[in-house]
mmCIF file of all heavy atoms in Angstrom:
data_model
loop_
_atom_site.group_PDB
_atom_site.id
_atom_site.type_symbol
_atom_site.label_atom_id
_atom_site.label_comp_id
_atom_site.label_asym_id
_atom_site.label_seq_id
_atom_site.Cartn_x
_atom_site.Cartn_y
_atom_site.Cartn_z
ATOM 1 N N ALA A 7 16.960 -19.088 25.040
ATOM 2 C CA ALA A 7 17.461 -17.705 25.025
ATOM 3 C C ALA A 7 16.357 -16.711 25.371
ATOM 4 O O ALA A 7 15.158 -16.999 25.286
ATOM 5 C CB ALA A 7 18.028 -17.404 23.646
ATOM 6 N N ASN A 8 16.825 -15.523 25.733
ATOM 7 C CA ASN A 8 15.956 -14.416 26.109
ATOM 8 C C ASN A 8 16.113 -13.368 24.980
ATOM 9 O O ASN A 8 17.163 -12.754 24.860
ATOM 10 C CB ASN A 8 16.491 -13.894 27.449
ATOM 11 C CG ASN A 8 15.622 -12.861 28.063
ATOM 12 O OD1 ASN A 8 14.468 -12.728 27.688
ATOM 13 N ND2 ASN A 8 16.170 -12.113 29.001
ATOM 14 N N ILE A 9 15.083 -13.215 24.137
ATOM 15 C CA ILE A 9 15.269 -12.468 22.884
ATOM 16 C C ILE A 9 14.332 -11.264 22.825
ATOM 17 O O ILE A 9 13.127 -11.398 23.063
ATOM 18 C CB ILE A 9 15.012 -13.390 21.664
ATOM 19 C CG1 ILE A 9 15.972 -14.590 21.727
ATOM 20 C CG2 ILE A 9 15.193 -12.636 20.349
ATOM 21 C CD1 ILE A 9 15.718 -15.662 20.673
ATOM 22 N N LEU A 10 14.905 -10.115 22.470
ATOM 23 C CA LEU A 10 14.094 -8.906 22.291
ATOM 24 C C LEU A 10 13.954 -8.617 20.803
ATOM 25 O O LEU A 10 14.941 -8.635 20.059
ATOM 26 C CB LEU A 10 14.779 -7.707 22.966
ATOM 27 C CG LEU A 10 14.093 -6.352 22.716
ATOM 28 C CD1 LEU A 10 12.717 -6.281 23.384
ATOM 29 C CD2 LEU A 10 14.973 -5.205 23.222
ATOM 30 N N ILE A 11 12.710 -8.321 20.380
ATOM 31 C CA ILE A 11 12.457 -7.923 18.991
ATOM 32 C C ILE A 11 11.888 -6.515 19.022
ATOM 33 O O ILE A 11 10.963 -6.225 19.787
ATOM 34 C CB ILE A 11 11.443 -8.889 18.326
ATOM 35 C CG1 ILE A 11 12.031 -10.307 18.278
ATOM 36 C CG2 ILE A 11 11.068 -8.413 16.924
ATOM 37 C CD1 ILE A 11 11.013 -11.384 17.969
ATOM 38 N N SER A 12 12.424 -5.639 18.190
ATOM 39 C CA SER A 12 11.890 -4.279 18.094
ATOM 40 C C SER A 12 11.014 -4.193 16.859
ATOM 41 O O SER A 12 11.484 -4.440 15.743
ATOM 42 C CB SER A 12 13.059 -3.283 17.993
ATOM 43 O OG SER A 12 12.571 -1.974 17.802
ATOM 44 N N GLY A 13 9.713 -3.863 17.043
ATOM 45 C CA GLY A 13 8.797 -3.700 15.904
ATOM 46 C C GLY A 13 7.778 -4.824 15.800
ATOM 47 O O GLY A 13 8.140 -5.996 15.717
ATOM 48 N N ALA A 14 6.503 -4.438 15.834
ATOM 49 C CA ALA A 14 5.408 -5.420 15.704
ATOM 50 C C ALA A 14 4.667 -5.189 14.393
ATOM 51 O O ALA A 14 3.446 -5.052 14.363
ATOM 52 C CB ALA A 14 4.453 -5.303 16.892
ATOM 53 N N GLY A 15 5.440 -5.109 13.293
ATOM 54 C CA GLY A 15 4.808 -4.975 11.969
ATOM 55 C C GLY A 15 4.578 -6.362 11.397
ATOM 56 O O GLY A 15 3.775 -7.145 11.917
ATOM 57 N N ILE A 16 5.307 -6.685 10.325
ATOM 58 C CA ILE A 16 5.179 -7.994 9.694
ATOM 59 C C ILE A 16 6.367 -8.883 10.112
ATOM 60 O O ILE A 16 6.183 -10.012 10.561
ATOM 61 C CB ILE A 16 5.169 -7.852 8.148
ATOM 62 C CG1 ILE A 16 4.120 -6.816 7.703
ATOM 63 C CG2 ILE A 16 4.961 -9.203 7.479
ATOM 64 C CD1 ILE A 16 2.695 -7.118 8.095
ATOM 65 N N ALA A 17 7.583 -8.330 9.976
ATOM 66 C CA ALA A 17 8.779 -9.133 10.267
ATOM 67 C C ALA A 17 8.859 -9.525 11.743
ATOM 68 O O ALA A 17 9.204 -10.670 12.065
ATOM 69 C CB ALA A 17 10.029 -8.338 9.863
ATOM 70 N N GLY A 18 8.539 -8.588 12.657
ATOM 71 C CA GLY A 18 8.690 -8.835 14.107
ATOM 72 C C GLY A 18 7.844 -10.007 14.585
ATOM 73 O O GLY A 18 8.384 -11.010 15.097
ATOM 74 N N PRO A 19 6.518 -9.943 14.419
ATOM 75 C CA PRO A 19 5.691 -11.071 14.854
ATOM 76 C C PRO A 19 6.040 -12.375 14.131
ATOM 77 O O PRO A 19 5.882 -13.455 14.690
ATOM 78 C CB PRO A 19 4.264 -10.605 14.516
ATOM 79 C CG PRO A 19 4.348 -9.110 14.580
ATOM 80 C CD PRO A 19 5.710 -8.777 14.043
ATOM 81 N N SER A 20 6.530 -12.284 12.875
ATOM 82 C CA SER A 20 6.865 -13.512 12.140
ATOM 83 C C SER A 20 8.053 -14.229 12.776
ATOM 84 O O SER A 20 8.015 -15.436 12.988
ATOM 85 C CB SER A 20 7.220 -13.201 10.685
ATOM 86 O OG SER A 20 6.173 -12.542 10.072
#
Side-chain angles (χ1 to χ4, degrees):
N8 187 17
I9 302 173
L10 174 67
I11 297 166
S12 176
I16 308 300
S20 303

